Amino acid sequence: MLVLSRRLRLGAVLLVFGALSCRQFRPAEDRVYTIGYNEAPPYYSAAAAGKPRGFVCDVMNEAARRLRIRLQWVPVTGRPQDALTQARVDLWPRMSRTPDRLRAHHITQPWMKLSFSLVTIDTRGTFAPPSVKPLAIGNLAGDSTMAKSLFPNRTLLRHSSIEQALEALCRGDVDEAMFEYRRGFDAIMRRPEVCQKINLTMVPLEASILPVGIASTQEAAAVANAMHDEISKMLPDGTLGRLQAWWFHEAPTETQTLMESAAAQRTANIMLACTALLVVVLGVALWQAVRARRSSKAARNASRAKSEFVANISHEIRTPMNGVMGMTSLLSGSELSDQQREMVDTIQTSAASLLTVLNDILDFSKIEAGKLSLESSAFDPKEIVQGVIALMSGTAVQKGLYLAQDYDSGIPARLMGDPARLRQILNNLVGNAVKFTAQGGVRVSMRLERQGEHPLWVRIAVSDTGIGIDPESARNLFQPFTQADATTNRKFGGTGLGLAISRQLVELMGGEIGLESKAGAGSTFWLLIPFEIAAAPATLPAGDAGAPAAPVVPGKVLLVEDNLVNAKVAERLLAKIGHTVHVAHDGEEACNMALREMYDVILMDVHMPGMDGFEATAAIRKAQGRGPRTPIIALTASAMDGDRQRCMSAGMDDYLAKPIDPERLLSMVSQWISESRRSEVSTLGTRNS
């Protein structure tokens, strides 16, 4: 009975919690909410039977009908904020969110925005000097507020109606009048008698946007919020569009912009929160996989399966990350205030840090799944060391540390190996040395260890004067998710994957990695790696040395991307430097467009519903036959080894992993456009000969 009683109590608590969590706005059945209006056609104006008519009236009435809220429209003379303060009305349908009004009343987020225009007498063909007469405005507070903001040095002549202001303009009392655009247009269409034979011109004013929300008394705040939310639902279902088309004969672009901006902000916040949560979940999953791997062969297989899962899910992480980082990059290039730029810089830094964590997790999962392979190309080892030191020098200078190098002149100028992975290892070791050193500095040395042998064995050492590591902690330091002790993880941060990844990379290179350290006496991390000597590079013709790079030639680009955010990012980046961009949202549409028009380059997303990027590429190559071959660059969030080769085998010409680096994207597109143009010239020359 005791157990049953506890279960009943628990069930009751869950039911109450569920009921509270599902609670929605419920208006009082016997309450009538008064909502004010004044003469401001076409938004609202008095009509027959004392009921106002207009666009705003229709929107408010429809929202109230859906919410079962009873409204009573009340005509108001004087200022709307006074009517709210004196409790003559509960609601006002549109009011700008100025600081003084927000202190006195509740105002929802904007649901529409107003723009303003300057009305003048058409003087085309004659010279019109700048006006020194007063500026005529209408009777609403918004007219006065915007006029003072845009024309602080002009004398304002306020009239009791827009019609009277137009009459003053037509009589010559003033040279210009300023009205809210739609109210002004409505008044001009119903122009007063004195203006019948006069041509009037409306000139839109830049930076004259005034967002407005629903204002209310504090007691009616819940009603105002519910109506705002209901209006936002009227946009996707087409109701708002029909009302705006009926009253203004135009699409709801302004309201849609505000609603979509708010929705995009909510989506971005949710996406960032989910990404952060996913990283935590992945970290826990990997930690559990490592523990299970030590117990039995079955557990090791489970660890490998989880690592493969991480590699696959990274595609889903990189796709929204591409949107976050791309849109932030575009935003940073726009005009921002100092405070806004500081916030954008913070987002970029945080996104880059999150991407570093994701890359570490992905590298670790590649290694665990046995899917990480090394490249082999010629590189300059001295250049690698100098590049790492240059990258870390800024942080070292900020901490007051020296950063030095010792380089053995006997090391050949060109070696064969994987320069990107070697740079990754050194970045990790030197970065850790700078992070854990408070005084003194860091020294990087590179020398031949076993001269005369083949291959060459090169020893690289990173020494610091930092906190040092005791022998017991050093034994586990190269294990995943491990740092010297728990306090350093909190003080200095980090996932604990860097050294584990470095050890795995060194072992894949056929080398060794080790540590010499004492607590409080600094540390030396060393690598011993075999390299082959690379052949000397071919000598460039004398005329090519130092030749300036060819200017970027704008080209015609076909962008194939099913994700709307990523498509918008790439389209704006390319259009910004002069490229003409056409967008296809699936493989079938891309094939039709590629066969209908000639493009200089095609950017092809790989994973799409229906016909994917591989199938689309194969279809395009088959249709082109032996004719001109349009370069196709793969855009994919799949970053595992083998993905690049799969794209090349499918007929693509290059590969770019998401999140996309804007500079790398633009450089790669320009390179392939130039190559495409050279191929066209060569083909024409062959045909003419």
Side-chain angles (χ1 to χ4, degrees):
M1 286 295 294
L2 181 60
V3 173
L4 181 59
S5 176
R6 289 177 177 175
R7 289 180 177 177
L8 289 174
R9 287 199 299 269
L10 178 60
V13 170
L14 292 176
L15 286 173
V16 172
F17 178 80
L20 291 174
S21 64
C22 297
R23 183 177 59 187
Q24 297 180 351
F25 172 78
R26 292 288 185 270
E29 293 183 1
D30 57 345
R31 174 72 187 272
V32 177
Y33 295 92
T34 55
I35 181 168
Y37 74 96
N38 50 24
E39 279 299 313
Y43 297 111
Y44 29 59
S45 60
K51 293 185 178 180
R53 63 189 301 271
F55 168 72
V56 172
C57 296
D58 286 354
V59 172
M60 294 295 140
N61 288 335
E62 175 62 18
R65 184 192 67 79
R66 296 183 179 194
L67 294 170
R68 299 181 180 179
I69 295 173
R70 298 170 63 189
L71 293 181
Q72 178 182 348
W73 290 89
V74 177
V76 172
T77 57
R79 302 193 313 166
Q81 52 267 42
D82 293 339
L84 286 171
T85 301
Q86 298 165 10
R88 286 185 281 154
V89 295
D90 300 312
L91 303 165
W92 192 268
R94 52 167 216 171
M95 183 175 290
S96 58
R97 292 167 53 86
T98 58
D100 57 330
R101 292 176 177 178
L102 288 171
R103 284 192 294 269
H105 315 294
H106 172 77
I107 305 178
T108 68
Q109 291 296 317
W111 71 273
M112 69 177 297
K113 61 181 179 181
L114 309 177
S115 60
F116 291 78
S117 297
L118 206 60
V119 180
T120 62
I121 296 176
D122 192 348
T123 57
R124 284 178 291 183
T126 62
F127 172 75
S131 176
V132 295
K133 294 182 180 180
L135 176 67
I137 61 174
N139 60 325
L140 298 186
D143 299 340
S144 176
T145 300
M146 186 57 66
K148 291 178 182 178
S149 172
L150 297 176
F151 306 100
N153 298 323
R154 292 284 295 274
T155 301
L156 304 180
L157 188 59
R158 188 166 184 174
H159 295 77
S160 59
S161 67
I162 286 185
E163 289 74 10
Q164 290 187 6
L166 277 178
E167 291 176 356
L169 175 64
C170 295
R171 287 195 306 266
D173 298 341
V174 296
D175 293 330
E176 297 169 325
M178 193 204 78
F179 308 128
E180 192 275 323
Y181 170 73
R182 292 196 180 101
R183 293 186 63 223
F185 183 83
D186 181 79
I188 290 175
M189 295 301 292
R190 300 181 293 103
R191 63 182 63 192
E193 182 68 27
V194 70
C195 299
Q196 289 295 326
K197 297 182 179 180
I198 297 177
N199 292 329
L200 300 176
T201 300
M202 292 188 72
V203 180
L205 294 172
E206 296 290 337
S208 65
I209 303 302
L210 186 65
V212 293
I214 303 173
S216 70
T217 61
Q218 297 300 333
E219 292 76 11
V223 177
N225 291 336
M227 292 186 67
H228 173 274
D229 294 341
E230 194 61 36
I231 292 172
S232 68
K233 299 175 185 177
M234 292 162 59
L235 180 66
D237 68 19
T239 303
L240 205 59
R242 289 192 296 272
L243 291 176
Q244 194 155 343
W246 170 262
W247 285 101
F248 307 134
H249 308 288
E250 61 185 41
T253 54
E254 295 175 352
T255 303
Q256 183 172 358
T257 300
L258 290 170
M259 296 297 185
E260 287 181 347
S261 176
Q265 184 62 46
R266 290 193 297 269
T267 302
N269 292 338
I270 293 172
M271 184 169 58
L272 286 174
C274 291
T275 303
L277 179 62
L278 185 57
V279 169
V280 174
V281 172
L282 292 176
V284 173
L286 286 173
W287 174 71
Q288 292 176 342
V290 170
R291 290 189 59 188
R293 186 171 176 268
R294 296 173 181 171
S295 61
S296 64
K297 182 178 179 179
R300 287 195 297 271
N301 293 336
S303 173
R304 184 172 292 105
K306 289 181 180 180
S307 298
E308 291 175 349
F309 164 77
V310 174
N312 292 331
I313 204 66
S314 72
H315 172 273
E316 303 302 324
I317 300 174
R318 286 173 177 271
T319 296
M321 278 296 295
N322 184 67
V324 172
M325 299 183 73
M327 281 298 185
T328 307
S329 177
L330 288 170
L331 183 60
S332 67
S334 62
E335 294 184 6
L336 301 173
S337 66
D338 292 340
Q339 183 181 17
Q340 290 171 331
R341 187 162 299 281
E342 180 181 0
M343 290 188 287
V344 170
D345 291 342
T346 301
I347 295 174
Q348 286 182 310
T349 302
S350 301
S353 300
L354 179 57
L355 183 59
T356 299
V357 174
L358 291 174
N359 286 336
D360 279 350
I361 294 176
L362 181 59
D363 278 344
F364 185 76
S365 67
K366 289 179 183 178
I367 294 170
E368 288 290 298
K371 293 186 177 181
L372 190 144
S373 59
L374 301 177
E375 297 182 359
S376 182
S377 60
F379 69 94
D380 184 347
K382 187 174 183 179
E383 184 179 300
I384 296 290
V385 174
Q386 291 175 342
V388 172
I389 289 179
L391 180 65
M392 300 295 174
S393 60
T395 306
V397 169
Q398 290 179 357
K399 297 184 67 174
L401 306 176
Y402 68 80
L403 196 54
Q405 63 170 314
D406 294 327
Y407 191 81
D408 188 345
S409 59
I411 300 176
R414 289 171 62 81
L415 299 175
M416 292 296 295
D418 192 330
R421 293 301 182 181
L422 179 60
R423 186 181 294 109
Q424 178 182 352
I425 295 169
L426 292 181
N427 278 335
N428 184 268
L429 296 181
V430 177
N432 282 346
V434 172
K435 179 167 65 174
F436 291 105
T437 300
Q439 296 180 351
V442 178
R443 182 174 296 276
V444 182
S445 63
M446 179 179 283
R447 61 183 175 85
L448 286 176
E449 180 71 10
R450 304 172 187 173
Q451 299 189 22
E453 294 189 12
H454 183 79
L456 294 178
W457 287 84
V458 177
R459 179 185 175 89
I460 307 173
V462 179
S463 304
D464 63 64
T465 59
I467 59 177
I469 304 170
D470 62 83
E472 183 177 352
S473 299
R475 282 194 292 269
N476 299 320
L477 198 58
F478 290 98
Q479 299 301 318
F481 312 108
T482 302
Q483 290 189 336
D485 59 56
T487 59
T488 59
N489 197 19
R490 289 192 296 269
K491 182 178 180 182
F492 297 101
T495 61
L497 284 174
L499 289 177
I501 294 172
S502 297
R503 177 179 65 84
Q504 297 274 20
L505 291 175
V506 170
E507 291 177 354
L508 283 173
M509 294 177 181
E512 305 172 19
I513 185 171
L515 166 66
E516 299 170 1
S517 179
K518 292 182 179 179
S523 306
T524 297
F525 286 84
W526 55 265
L527 317 171
L528 191 59
I529 305 176
F531 293 104
E532 299 286 346
I533 301 176
T539 304
L540 292 173
D544 293 346
V552 175
V553 179
K556 192 174 180 181
V557 180
L558 174 59
L559 172 63
V560 189
E561 173 63 74
D562 66 312
N563 185 282
L564 297 180
V565 174
N566 290 336
K568 188 178 294 184
V569 169
E571 181 182 8
R572 291 185 179 179
L573 285 172
L574 294 166
K576 191 174 182 180
I577 64 171
H579 295 300
T580 301
V581 184
H582 295 174
V583 180
H585 297 291
D586 56 54
E588 185 175 354
E589 183 182 4
C591 291
N592 294 332
M593 294 175 67
L595 299 180
R596 195 168 54 242
E597 298 186 43
M598 290 294 297
Y599 292 92
D600 294 307
V601 67
I602 299 175
L603 299 176
M604 181 73 71
D605 186 20
V606 171
H607 298 283
M608 294 181 292
M611 179 183 285
D612 63 20
F614 298 116
E615 295 170 339
T617 299
I620 292 172
R621 292 294 183 234
K622 182 178 180 180
Q624 289 177 335
R626 296 184 179 181
R629 177 186 174 99
T630 305
I632 300 179
I633 301 174
L635 295 181
T636 177
S638 299
M640 293 294 291
D641 287 299
D643 291 327
R644 179 188 183 91
Q645 184 57 42
R646 186 183 177 194
C647 292
M648 300 299 103
S649 300
M652 301 181 188
D653 301 283
D654 215 331
Y655 168 93
L656 196 57
K658 299 175 184 176
I660 294 172
D661 180 357
E663 293 184 2
R664 190 176 178 196
L665 170 66
L666 299 178
S667 173
M668 186 177 292
V669 169
S670 298
Q671 173 189 342
W672 281 106
I673 288 177
S674 299
E675 182 67 26
S676 177
R677 299 285 171 83
R678 283 195 296 269
S679 298
E680 291 178 7
V681 172
S682 175
T683 302
L684 289 174
T686 303
R687 291 177 178 175
N688 293 334
S689 62

